[in-house]
Amino acid sequence: MVEKQVEVSYSFYNVPGYKQTLIKDIVDKNIDGKLDAYLKKVYTKKDAEIRLNYKIQKNKQGRYEAKFLFDCDWQVFSYSSKVWFKYVEDLVNHAFKRFKEFLSK
């Protein structure tokens, strides 16, 4: 587990409540599990901060699109879905995969 907390903010548009809960759970699991080792390295700096702001919407075709903005100790990584996802879980995991790749560089 990461000692410091990642500051997370979000907005949903046309996303059912049960999907919102699912999305929040996936985000938490990615932060606390999959990115734990990467985030610990960032937090070795005394005043380091990590923020995540994401917006997810369900469009008229019933597909999901999103924008994620990761602010990792003043290095900003932005992810916008270029394709619409049928499953919102895949979309969230894809965004975190790209962020993990960014952190590993």
Side-chain angles (χ1 to χ4, degrees), residues 14-15 24 26 30 32 36 41 48 58 80 86 91 93:
N14 299 322
V15 178
K24 292 175 197 173
I26 294 170
N30 273 285
D32 290 339
D36 188 42
K41 290 178 185 176
K58 186 175 182 181
S80 294
K86 182 176 182 180
L91 173 57
N93 285 321

Side-chain angles (χ1 to χ4, degrees), residues 6-51:
V6 175
E7 185 180 316
V8 179
S9 57
Y10 51 84
S11 354
F12 298 109
Y13 303 95
N14 299 322
V15 178
Y18 73 97
K19 288 285 188 182
Q20 292 179 25
T21 302
L22 177 65
I23 292 165
K24 292 175 197 173
D25 288 344
I26 294 170
V27 167
D28 288 343
K29 286 178 185 174
N30 273 285
I31 290 171
D32 290 339
K34 297 178 183 178
L35 294 179
D36 188 42
Y38 296 96
L39 298 180
K40 280 183 183 178
K41 290 178 185 176
V42 174
Y43 281 134
T44 58
K45 296 179 184 177
K46 184 180 177 186
D47 297 327
E49 293 181 359
I50 301 174
R51 292 182 189 87

Side-chain angles (χ1 to χ4, degrees), residues 34-103:
K34 297 178 183 178
L35 294 179
D36 188 42
Y38 296 96
L39 298 180
K40 280 183 183 178
K41 290 178 185 176
V42 174
Y43 281 134
T44 58
K45 296 179 184 177
K46 184 180 177 186
D47 297 327
E49 293 181 359
I50 301 174
R51 292 182 189 87
L52 166 60
N53 182 335
Y54 63 93
K55 297 174 184 168
I56 298 179
Q57 72 177 25
K58 186 175 182 181
N59 62 27
K60 292 179 182 178
Q61 292 78 23
R63 305 264 177 168
Y64 294 93
E65 49 191 312
K67 291 183 182 178
F68 283 76
L69 185 64
F70 298 92
D71 183 348
C72 187
D73 196 33
W74 304 106
Q75 287 187 303
V76 177
F77 174 75
S78 177
Y79 170 84
S80 294
S81 55
K82 303 219 183 323
V83 297
W84 300 336
F85 284 73
K86 182 176 182 180
Y87 302 105
V88 73
E89 305 89 325
D90 293 342
L91 173 57
V92 175
N93 285 321
H94 186 72
F96 273 94
K97 179 182 178 191
R98 295 290 179 241
F99 182 53
K100 183 177 170 183
E101 291 168 356
F102 170 76
L103 288 175

